[in-house]
Amino acid sequence: MLLRVRVTLPDRPGTLGQVARTMGVSGADIVQVVVLERLGGRAVDDFTVVWPGAARVERLLAGLAAIPGVRVDGVWRAIGAPTTSGQDAELLAQVAANPVDGVATLVDAVPGLLAADWAVAAVVPVDWASRTGAAGEATVGYASWRAPVPPPLPEVTPLRARAISVAAGPHVAVAPFGRAGLVLVAARECAGTPAAAAFHATEVDRLAQLVRAAAVILGDRLDLVGAPPVAANP
């Protein structure tokens, strides 16, 4: 199976090699490394690895924990193939080519791009955050195939893109389309041990860029998402 392993490590020569060797000895076949952050002598890297289904992940965690200064921030199952350059542009081209299904195309693609479990396009009231239980009033315009019913939506007004982690809930990244109360929500289920990592700022930025670009492409069509169907004249 394909796993995503997020590791914080010292940003110095040799440490990345130690991490890679440890993963290999543990049975992981590295297929991609993405640097999420390099700051203050530390780096945050996402490794996508092929992991033997019958092997215990604890062996990998123990090996990484033995490397001085290395911390595992999350391990979770990834959906689809590792991301490659150009995927975002290809997705937006698909949205532009078929704008009628543009929101559905975007929502279905986001989990694979961000190693998330599911995504939804939700329509929320303007005062979503100011009313108790207002999250339950959100209308799901479109949901990806693994989204729970109803999806556990965070109780925040989607004024800007952000990452949210709540107790007993999934890690969430939200990005507003900027019109019609429409917001895209991507989620990683964090139950189990080891658990998925929260969305990093670079992932939130990527989601926000996709949503903004899609909003420009789709324009007034966004007003129709989640709207009740128009009854035909008798």
Side-chain angles (χ1 to χ4, degrees):
M1 60 181 173
L2 205 63
L3 291 181
R4 186 68 61 90
V5 184
R6 180 164 299 171
V7 178
T8 297
L9 65 159
D11 188 14
R12 59 172 180 260
T15 304
L16 181 59
Q18 284 182 280
V19 170
R21 285 192 298 273
T22 299
M23 288 187 173
V25 170
S26 301
D29 181 13
I30 300 174
V31 293
Q32 187 180 58
V33 182
V34 176
V35 179
L36 297 176
E37 177 182 311
R38 297 182 69 181
L39 183 66
R42 305 283 290 174
V44 180
D45 294 349
D46 266 3
F47 294 82
T48 302
V49 304
V50 176
W51 182 254
R56 294 179 61 86
V57 178
E58 287 76 7
R59 178 184 179 187
L60 173 62
L61 298 179
L64 294 174
I67 304 174
V70 170
R71 183 184 74 234
V72 177
D73 296 328
V75 179
W76 68 101
R77 190 163 184 169
I79 299 174
T83 58
T84 58
S85 60
Q87 282 185 310
D88 292 7
E90 182 179 350
L91 171 58
L92 293 172
Q94 292 173 2
V95 171
N98 184 16
V100 173
D101 296 323
V103 171
T105 299
L106 181 65
V107 171
D108 282 335
V110 160
L113 294 178
L114 296 181
D117 289 297
W118 51 268
V120 299
V123 182
V124 301
V126 175
D127 57 347
W128 193 20
S130 66
R131 290 181 286 167
T132 303
E137 299 176 15
T139 300
V140 175
Y142 186 84
S144 67
W145 70 279
R146 297 185 68 186
V149 180
L153 300 178
E155 295 190 16
V156 296
T157 302
L159 298 177
R160 60 180 175 82
R162 69 184 77 181
I164 305 164
S165 295
V166 296
H171 296 305
V172 170
V174 298
F177 284 82
R179 64 182 300 159
L182 189 64
V183 58
L184 198 150
V185 181
R188 287 184 188 136
E189 300 293 345
C190 52
T193 303
F199 286 92
H200 190 270
T202 57
E203 295 176 305
V204 176
D205 288 344
R206 184 183 185 188
L207 179 65
Q209 290 169 10
L210 281 170
V211 169
R212 285 196 298 267
V216 172
I217 293 170
L218 297 175
D220 293 342
R221 291 183 181 273
L222 294 177
D223 298 333
L224 303 177
V225 178
V230 177
N233 292 327

